[in-house]
């Protein structure tokens, strides 16, 4: 028996307005989580290179735990597990942002560590010779140069975090994938809808990639 299938472009385009309702949630979770994760990354990245063991050890533990476990497990733990400890529910949107924050924070910590340590020792010695304190040397010499080198890796982490939000449909966050699932439940056009979901994710990540390339062409990132 021959079965023929014809792609329904009408159904695909009809799903766009509904799917667009999930874009703000996708962006809020990813960039909200990344903003918090960047702060976490700076703190733990600097602790990671501290000469003091009791500061360095917790940073290493945090980085290894959250880099070594899937973000899906992390969001399930936050959404279903933490309420048992806290004695109250956690909203799905809050759980998604928190998961992106702690997960991206672990990766950003290593980006920060690598960026700071990539600056030559001579730069530090130059700061001392100018009469700057260690903090002033870090603030005015080390960090600005290191941050420029971090930007490509931070951009890559942002793209990864945007894609990771697709996993949060399992806790009911109304992001792109969840909106697609709800729409498919009423129309049964799975192929068409998921294609549009994929294209929307692609549009978001490509836009971010193009912005990073523009920065690179203008010499604002890298060496």
């Amino acid at each position: 028996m021959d079965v023929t299938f014809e792609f329904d472009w009408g159904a695909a385009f009809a799903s766009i307005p509904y799917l667009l309702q999930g874009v703000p949630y996708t962006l809020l979770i990813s960039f909200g989580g990344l903003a918090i994760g960047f702060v976490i990354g700076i703190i733990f990245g600097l602790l990671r290179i501290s000469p003091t063991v009791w500061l360095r050890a917790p940073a290493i533990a945090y980085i290894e735990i959250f880099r070594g476990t899937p973000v899906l497990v992390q969001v399930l733990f936050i959404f279903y597990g933490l309420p048992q400890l806290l004695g109250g529910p956690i909203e799905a949107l809050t759980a998604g942002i928190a998961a992106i924050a702690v997960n991206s924070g672990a990766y950003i910590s290593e980006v920060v560590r690598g960026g700071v340590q990539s600056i030559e020792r001579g730069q530090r010695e130059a700061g001392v010779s100018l009469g700057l304190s260690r903090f002033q040397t870090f603030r005015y010499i080390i960090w600005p140069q290191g941050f420029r080198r971090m930007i490509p890796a931070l951009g890559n982490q942002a793209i990864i975090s945007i894609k990771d939000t697709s996993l949060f449909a399992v806790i009911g966050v109304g992001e792109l994938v969840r909106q697609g699932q709800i729409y498919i439940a009423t129309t049964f056009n799975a192929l068409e809808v998921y294609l549009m979901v994929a294209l929307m994710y692609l549009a978001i990540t490509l836009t971010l990639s193009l912005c990073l390339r523009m920065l690179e062409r203008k010499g604002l990132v890298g060496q």
Side-chain angles (χ1 to χ4, degrees):
M1 178 179 178
D2 294 332
V3 178
T4 59
F5 174 80
E6 183 177 348
F7 190 89
D8 189 348
W9 284 105
F13 290 122
S15 69
I16 293 178
Y18 194 84
L19 295 177
L20 286 174
Q21 297 176 31
V23 173
Y25 289 99
T26 295
L27 297 178
L28 175 61
I29 294 170
S30 55
F31 288 106
L34 281 166
I36 300 171
F38 183 64
V39 176
I40 295 173
I42 292 175
I43 294 171
F44 283 91
L46 296 179
L47 291 177
R48 175 70 175 80
I49 57 178
S50 171
T52 306
V53 175
W54 63 269
L55 291 176
R56 188 171 66 251
I60 294 174
Y62 163 76
I63 292 169
E64 295 302 326
I65 289 171
F66 285 97
R67 288 204 311 166
T69 54
V71 67
L72 179 58
V73 174
Q74 293 165 15
V75 75
L76 290 175
F77 176 82
I78 293 170
F79 186 66
Y80 292 110
L82 282 186
Q84 297 182 21
L85 299 176
L86 301 177
I90 296 176
E91 292 185 0
L93 182 62
T94 302
I97 292 174
I100 291 294
V102 296
N103 184 268
S104 64
Y107 286 94
I108 292 172
S109 297
E110 287 295 275
V111 173
V112 170
R113 178 188 65 81
V116 171
Q117 291 185 328
S118 70
I119 306 303
E120 297 77 8
R121 182 178 295 274
Q123 299 285 335
R124 296 175 176 84
E125 296 172 351
V128 173
S129 66
L130 292 172
L132 299 178
S133 65
R134 291 182 61 183
F135 176 76
Q136 289 174 326
T137 300
F138 177 81
R139 179 181 177 184
Y140 296 112
I141 298 178
I142 305 302
W143 179 257
Q145 296 181 73
F147 181 72
R148 288 181 60 188
R149 299 181 182 183
M150 296 175 202
I151 292 176
L154 292 174
N156 289 335
Q157 182 57 47
I159 291 173
I160 292 171
S161 294
I162 290 170
K163 294 187 293 184
D164 282 345
T165 62
S166 63
L167 300 172
F168 300 160
V170 299
I171 61 171
V173 178
E175 43 69 62
L176 266 171
V177 171
R178 181 61 178 168
Q179 291 297 105
Q181 290 175 339
I182 296 172
Y183 192 79
I184 291 168
T186 59
T187 63
F188 304 102
N189 298 117
L191 179 61
E192 291 86 353
V193 174
Y194 281 132
L195 174 63
M196 299 312 297
V197 169
L199 290 176
M200 287 186 181
Y201 273 110
L202 185 61
I204 294 170
T205 56
L206 281 179
T207 300
L208 183 56
S209 296
L210 289 173
C211 290
L212 289 172
R213 288 175 188 149
M214 288 176 61
L215 291 175
E216 290 177 358
R217 284 197 298 267
K218 292 182 178 180
L220 299 178
V221 302
Q223 300 293 333

